[in-house]
Amino acid sequence: DTEVTQTPKHLVMGMTNKKSLKCEQHMGHRAMYWYKQKAKKPPELMFVYSYEKLSINESVPSRFSPECPNSSLLNLHLHALQPEDSALYLCASSHPNRDREEEQFFGPGTRLTVL
Amino acid sequence: DQQVKQNSPSLSVQEGRISILNCDYTNSMFDYFLWYKKYPAEGPTFLISISSIKDKNEDGRFTVFLNKSAKHLSLHIVPSQPGDSAVYFCAAISTDSWGKLQFGAGTQVVVTP
């Protein structure tokens, strides 16, 4: 299984809603990532988890809250978002060991629209 | 500060010909470079990578060349196929910043029949 899956595929939410994005991989990767991508821009790193512990937070606003319940799952909890948070949210995973190749495998993304 | 630059936002190439995508970087600590391909509404797909200890890596129709002294890498696709039409991102990782992929802005490739 060489796939990263993300649900939902599309999400529309109001600024007062609470929602969660989910990501799953079964490749045995112990590093998982959240990226945000706006139209015609490259992906921007948000969070990195390594061995289920948060290792990088790229100064992301607290209205985005990541969670890594186990080595295969990664969640992104959303609360009180702004319309400018509308974007494609990508999950990725990789081996965390620098002695190995560092390709990150991406999921298809969740297209988020904040009204 | 954009540390990875793809100065050509778009490239049009005829089917069967060679596509050459260029990427420049400024951070001399980058030691691993990757190319990703992205279709609309999908996540990036890993294509090929190269370590800074090499100057060339080949995988089927895809070859990546690295010129460390010029801080430049390129991706060659030959022969180009219609299915290659996508956005291509160059990315890099530095020795002191594990996990933090730095992406270029991307190049839109269109392969015409």
Side-chain angles (χ1 to χ4, degrees):
Chain A
D1 185 357
T2 58
E3 200 178 43
V4 177
T5 59
Q6 290 186 245
T7 55
K9 196 173 177 63
H10 300 276
L11 178 63
V12 179
M13 61 187 290
M15 289 190 285
T16 58
N17 291 158
K18 282 186 180 180
K19 297 286 184 183
S20 297
L21 309 185
K22 295 186 185 301
C23 174
E24 190 168 2
Q25 58 87 16
H26 295 287
M27 294 179 277
H29 291 165
R30 301 306 296 274
M32 296 186 76
Y33 310 77
W34 280 114
Y35 287 84
K36 173 181 176 179
Q37 185 176 22
K38 303 281 268 185
K40 300 192 185 301
K41 297 286 187 183
E44 294 178 12
L45 183 67
M46 300 174 72
F47 302 104
V48 180
Y49 273 82
S50 177
Y51 292 95
E52 295 93 67
K53 292 193 187 315
L54 184 65
S55 61
I56 297 176
N57 176 342
E58 289 288 271
S59 303
V60 179
S62 60
R63 57 185 184 270
F64 295 92
S65 176
E67 178 197 18
C68 190
N70 60 55
S71 59
S72 300
L73 292 173
L74 185 67
N75 298 322
L76 186 63
H77 303 297
L78 315 172
H79 174 55
L81 294 194
Q82 304 296 311
E84 59 265 28
D85 296 322
S86 299
L88 181 69
Y89 287 84
L90 294 162
C91 174
S93 69
S94 75
H95 292 289
N97 187 340
R98 274 206 64 92
D99 292 334
R100 306 188 60 164
E101 293 176 339
E102 296 194 44
E103 297 87 271
Q104 293 181 18
F105 294 84
F106 285 82
T110 293
R111 174 68 61 189
L112 174 67
T113 303
V114 182
L115 301 176
Chain B
D1 177 30
Q2 192 81 7
Q3 298 184 54
V4 179
K5 299 176 184 178
Q6 293 176 256
N7 293 318
S8 297
S10 63
L11 172 70
S12 182
V13 64
Q14 213 167 10
E15 183 178 1
R17 307 293 281 263
I18 185 170
S19 296
I20 300 176
L21 291 82
N22 293 304
C23 178
D24 297 293
Y25 61 95
T26 56
N27 187 344
S28 56
M29 297 296 286
F30 284 147
D31 67 343
Y32 199 74
F33 303 89
L34 308 92
W35 284 94
Y36 284 86
K37 170 181 176 181
K38 187 178 185 301
Y39 294 117
E42 293 185 11
T45 302
F46 168 73
L47 269 180
I48 192 168
S49 61
I50 187 166
S51 164
S52 60
I53 63 174
K54 297 184 178 180
D55 55 18
K56 177 183 174 182
N57 189 26
E58 192 172 352
D59 184 1
R61 297 187 297 117
F62 303 93
T63 303
V64 57
F65 296 91
L66 175 63
N67 181 335
K68 281 198 328 184
S69 60
K71 293 192 176 69
H72 176 84
L73 63 156
S74 61
L75 174 69
H76 293 208
I77 307 172
V78 57
S80 298
Q81 299 174 353
D84 296 331
S85 296
V87 177
Y88 289 77
F89 289 102
C90 172
I93 291 181
S94 67
T95 52
D96 61 350
S97 197
W98 172 83
K100 294 180 74 168
L101 266 183
Q102 299 279 353
F103 282 91
T107 297
Q108 172 75 60
V109 172
V110 176
V111 180
T112 57

